[in-house]
Amino acid sequence: MDKMPRWVDIALIPFINLILALIVSGLVVLYIGENPLEAMAIMVNGAVGSAYGWGYTLYYATNFIFTGLAVSVAFQARLFNIGGEGQAMVGGLGVALVCLLIPFPHWSMALVAAMIGGALFGAAWAAIPAYLQAKRGSHIVITTIMFNYIAASLLVYLTANTLRTSRGMSNESDRFADTTFLPSAYEMFSGLGIPFSRSAPMNVTFLIAILCCVLVYLLIWRTRLGYEIRSFGQSESAAVYAGIKPVRITMIVMLISGGLAGLMGINAVMGEAERLVADPVQQAGFVGIAVALMGRSHPIGVFVAALLFGMLVQGGGELEFEMPEVSKELVLVIQALVIMFTGALDNMIRTPVARAFAKFSRGDA
Amino acid sequence: MDILIQLLDSTLRLSTPLLFACLAGLFSERAGIFDIGLEGKMLMAAFMSAAVAAVTGSVWLGLLGGMAASVVLSLIHGVASITFRGNQLISGVAINFLAAGLTVVVSKDWFKLGGDTPALGDARFPELALPFSEALADVPLIGRFYSDVLSGHAIIVYLGLATVALSWWVLFRTRFGLRLRAVGENPESVDTSGVSVIRMRFTAVVICGVLCGIAGAYLATGMSAGFRQNMTAGRGFIALAALIFAKWRPGMALLACLLFGFLQAVSIRFQTIEVGNFQIPSQFVEALPYILTVVILAGFVGKAIPPRAGGEPYVKER
């Protein structure tokens, strides 16, 4: 098969897949008895039609960049980390502990410490499945899923008992001290003349997420370790022959992956809730799988896909508000279809497109 | 003693959906198709069976509906992983999300009950009393076991036990079973002997769908009285762990599922356990089946070798 231009591979095919996923979701909306185009318009308008919408869209996108990068890094080594959800939960716990236990004089110090706490806790939660995969051959997909359930129980317990606030009736931790509050997008950007909504939860973490995209790119494509990770993913036997140790790579990759997922905590726990709630992650760990697949496990792709899913989630919330017949779980359906079309049914589109391009280029010559 | 009898009774009940899902995975993986979408298929079947049973009043039509819904998802998995040679893990994940989303979206639309189905009255699988269970109840030891543990379950439970034997016979004593296993170990050889690998794998995937359908239908219309959001609660994944534990053998699958069912029975029966003065939190007891799944996978499986061609799409040589 002739080689296709690069833009077809990284842009056109994901785009066609996305359109297909949206069309099938549109059929679901149609079945429920609503107008899919109208629903689409509500979603787009709700997501990017106002400063308020943007503030939420980019807040969600920040979460998805972290979880998407987490899945991507593991994918580079052909490890399927479905545990982003649990790793982000435990990462959130690490962030909360740092914020609750240490009195910080300024938010910037709190942020650095919370990043370390979140990443360490997330990495630790990924370390056990990674070790079991590397040493005992326990399938990482099953163990990471089990660890998601265990993390959920752990957070329910902690927010209902050990960390439960003495004020109020709800199961959540104390509110963090004012000095840990991160600057919101409103405070950051109003000086630059970009008016963000005061009530939207987007905050300085967005910039850290972008920084993580750059760092992951440098790690995977510009370092020796990244080269080892990629060769391990391409062919384990060849990597072993080249002196790369599978146990070491599996552990390192999963620690990085869990750490990235854990960093989501600074956005959701420190930036938004400013306390620890029982479920701070809200499925973002699972969305990360779709984001990584759609973004072709490349940081730029992850960024774009995270933005898209941020729009979907924010738009989906607005949709439920405007069209009560369509529940917000429709977003889950769209997400499933995106995973299906971009991940599993990729050849369905790729083969005909490749054939068309082969024909086209032959006609040219 | 009474507690033990109760535990064993609910063990049998709780093992049944695991068992059907595990056998479903067994057929699929023996034919070389990994399936982490068992969870989603069960969930979809649970919803569809409860919905059909609620509307028609017939639990048997519900079972058929559940099986059909599950088979549709199976075929999607088949098309993705056999026809288009996609990644089987990814396709399975997609199916799980699809079921989690669609069941809620559609049931909110159909029943307006926030994602659940109406409670089923008579449209459930009734509890069957085995013959002589009354008469034998007084026989020491065996009597209690027979009348209180074995007797008094829905017919699906007994069907499950029969399916174990049937699966063993089909897989290891028929030509079809030999070919099915060969397709998962060495598809080239099956292809060489003139049998279509594609067709064999699709057949396996459909069998998997039917069995998952029964698992889901039992969950919603046998064990419970209706569908609730996400009611499978990880059972599909625990079934996969049981499958690995059983090393892809039907008889061992029964034992593994009974073990996992027992763990679930314990965690449901003992919401609070006290050790001395220390009360073990209920959240820990809830998480126990998941924790023990990891422990069992890591510590006790030994070397589990999956079917050799598992997870790899078959490309016919030209």
Side-chain angles (χ1 to χ4, degrees):
Chain A
M1 194 94 40
D2 290 329
K3 208 168 152 46
M4 291 182 291
R6 227 170 106 77
W7 63 270
V8 175
D9 183 37
I10 60 174
L12 182 65
I13 289 176
F15 181 72
I16 296 175
N17 285 328
L18 176 71
I19 296 297
L20 282 174
L22 288 178
I23 289 174
V24 178
S25 322
L27 292 178
V28 176
V29 175
L30 201 62
Y31 171 75
I32 290 172
E34 296 281 354
N35 182 347
L37 292 177
E38 208 178 302
M40 189 76 197
I42 292 173
M43 285 179 82
V44 172
N45 191 39
V48 296
S50 63
Y52 175 81
W54 270 108
Y56 267 94
T57 297
L58 291 177
Y59 162 74
Y60 290 124
T62 308
N63 286 340
F64 302 154
I65 290 173
F66 285 121
T67 54
L69 284 177
V71 179
S72 300
V73 169
F75 259 143
Q76 294 292 350
R78 288 288 186 280
L79 290 167
F80 200 3
N81 177 15
I82 309 195
E85 185 80 9
Q87 289 144 21
M89 279 188 189
V90 177
L93 171 65
V95 169
L97 288 179
V98 166
C99 291
L100 287 170
L101 296 179
I102 307 173
F104 289 102
H106 190 258
W107 65 265
S108 55
M109 294 166 76
L111 179 61
V112 173
M115 282 173 68
I116 296 171
L120 276 183
F121 271 61
W125 205 247
I128 308 168
Y131 179 82
L132 295 178
Q133 158 90 26
K135 283 282 192 187
R136 310 283 319 185
S138 317
H139 205 301
I140 199 156
V141 169
I142 295 178
T143 41
T144 48
I145 288 170
M146 293 298 135
F147 267 68
N148 288 340
Y149 287 107
I150 300 170
S153 289
L154 180 70
L155 258 73
V156 168
Y157 173 73
L158 290 177
T159 50
N161 297 283
T162 321
L163 294 175
R164 190 179 186 282
T165 179
S166 47
R167 276 161 286 184
M169 297 301 288
S170 34
N171 284 346
E172 55 187 32
S173 78
D174 280 328
R175 207 176 148 85
F176 302 155
D178 291 358
T179 47
T180 67
F181 291 179
L182 297 177
S184 70
Y186 172 78
E187 293 163 61
M188 285 191 305
F189 292 110
S190 54
L192 300 173
I194 309 170
F196 267 98
S197 167
R198 201 188 282 263
S199 53
M202 180 198 172
N203 59 71
V204 66
T205 317
F206 180 65
L207 302 178
I208 295 171
I210 293 175
L211 182 68
C212 283
C213 285
V214 177
L215 290 178
V216 166
Y217 172 79
L218 292 177
L219 168 77
I220 299 290
W221 280 280
R222 289 288 179 270
T223 65
R224 178 193 288 258
L225 177 65
Y227 178 76
E228 289 182 356
I229 292 172
R230 282 181 295 135
S231 14
F232 178 77
Q234 293 297 324
S235 164
E236 186 174 339
S237 51
V240 169
Y241 190 70
I244 297 169
K245 295 188 185 68
V247 173
R248 179 171 165 267
I249 292 293
T250 304
M251 288 304 294
I252 291 177
V253 165
M254 283 300 287
L255 287 176
I256 296 172
S257 177
L260 283 166
L263 279 178
M264 199 202 109
I266 54 174
N267 192 42
V269 176
M270 196 176 177
E272 203 245 326
E274 293 165 351
R275 74 198 69 178
L276 185 67
V277 295
D279 181 13
V281 182
Q282 303 276 339
Q283 307 281 318
F286 295 121
V287 180
I289 300 168
V291 167
L293 285 170
M294 220 190 134
R296 291 273 182 275
S297 297
H298 190 287
I300 296 175
V302 166
F303 179 80
V304 175
L307 205 59
L308 184 86
F309 272 93
M311 289 167 62
L312 272 180
V313 171
Q314 166 57 14
E318 294 290 316
L319 183 65
E320 191 176 39
F321 193 66
E322 301 266 333
M323 282 186 181
E325 297 296 306
V326 184
S327 67
K328 64 174 186 300
E329 279 80 7
L330 184 70
V331 174
L332 208 56
V333 176
I334 300 178
Q335 180 191 327
L337 291 166
V338 169
I339 295 177
M340 188 54 106
F341 282 113
T342 58
L345 286 171
D346 192 48
N347 283 335
M348 186 171 79
I349 298 304
R350 185 170 296 269
T351 315
V353 169
R355 216 170 271 153
F357 266 90
K359 210 176 229 173
F360 190 65
S361 56
R362 213 174 298 133
D364 253 6
Chain B
M1 187 65 190
D2 275 344
I3 287 181
L4 186 67
I5 293 282
Q6 280 172 15
L7 273 182
L8 291 179
D9 182 55
S10 47
T11 296
L12 201 53
R13 214 185 301 274
L14 289 161
S15 301
T16 299
L18 295 178
L19 183 60
F20 274 106
C22 189
L23 292 173
L26 182 79
F27 274 95
S28 184
E29 300 208 347
R30 277 282 185 174
I33 305 292
F34 282 158
D35 194 352
I36 58 171
L38 298 175
E39 174 88 359
K41 287 200 270 279
M42 272 166 90
L43 190 65
M44 193 60 117
F47 165 66
M48 198 52 90
S49 64
V52 172
V55 172
T56 63
S58 159
V59 67
W60 291 102
L61 284 180
L63 178 65
L64 277 183
M67 277 160 43
S70 167
V71 167
V72 168
L73 289 185
S74 273
L75 287 175
I76 294 176
H77 186 56
V79 167
S81 56
I82 304 170
T83 312
F84 288 110
R85 296 172 202 149
N87 184 318
Q88 298 170 8
L89 289 177
I90 294 173
S91 166
V93 168
I95 281 174
N96 289 336
F97 287 139
L98 191 63
L102 266 187
T103 48
V104 179
V105 170
V106 174
S107 70
K108 275 185 183 169
D109 182 49
W110 282 0
F111 300 108
K112 320 272 184 231
L113 291 171
D116 299 351
T117 61
L120 299 170
D122 292 334
R124 297 180 56 199
F125 284 104
E127 294 175 351
L128 298 181
L130 291 186
F132 313 116
S133 59
E134 290 284 315
L136 289 172
D138 293 333
V139 178
L141 254 86
I142 305 168
R144 285 290 302 276
F145 184 73
Y146 183 77
S147 62
D148 288 346
V149 176
L150 284 184
S151 178
H153 293 286
I155 189 164
I156 303 283
V157 174
Y158 306 110
L159 187 66
L161 298 175
T163 308
V164 175
L166 184 68
S167 301
W168 174 82
W169 185 77
V170 167
L171 280 171
F172 295 95
R173 287 294 179 272
T174 66
R175 178 157 39 165
F176 170 79
L178 179 68
R179 285 175 176 170
L180 189 137
R181 285 181 293 132
V183 157
E185 296 287 340
N186 192 341
E188 293 81 7
S189 67
V190 180
D191 204 8
T192 313
S193 68
V195 178
S196 163
V197 173
I198 306 278
R199 178 182 282 180
M200 279 310 293
R201 287 192 164 172
F202 262 107
T203 312
V205 161
V206 169
I207 295 174
C208 169
V210 169
L211 292 174
C212 265
I214 302 176
Y218 176 69
L219 209 54
T221 61
M223 253 168 63
S224 335
F227 171 83
R228 278 169 290 108
Q229 277 191 44
N230 265 324
M231 73 183 303
T232 41
R235 285 187 171 84
F237 302 117
I238 292 181
L240 275 183
L243 182 60
I244 295 171
F245 193 37
K247 300 187 180 164
W248 296 269
R249 289 167 202 282
M252 288 297 290
L254 174 63
L255 292 181
C257 290
L258 284 173
L259 173 66
F260 283 107
F262 181 72
L263 295 179
Q264 289 188 338
V266 170
S267 82
I268 290 174
R269 175 69 181 71
F270 300 103
Q271 285 295 318
T272 50
I273 304 177
E274 277 179 36
V275 180
N277 278 331
F278 180 70
Q279 190 180 0
I280 294 176
S282 63
Q283 287 88 358
F284 178 79
V285 182
E286 272 166 34
L288 204 56
Y290 307 118
I291 296 173
L292 288 171
T293 302
V294 175
V295 171
I296 289 171
L297 271 186
F300 299 98
V301 173
K303 206 165 169 53
I305 302 164
R308 211 161 59 89
E312 283 169 23
Y314 179 64
V315 184
K316 202 180 170 98
E317 278 184 63
R318 302 222 178 254

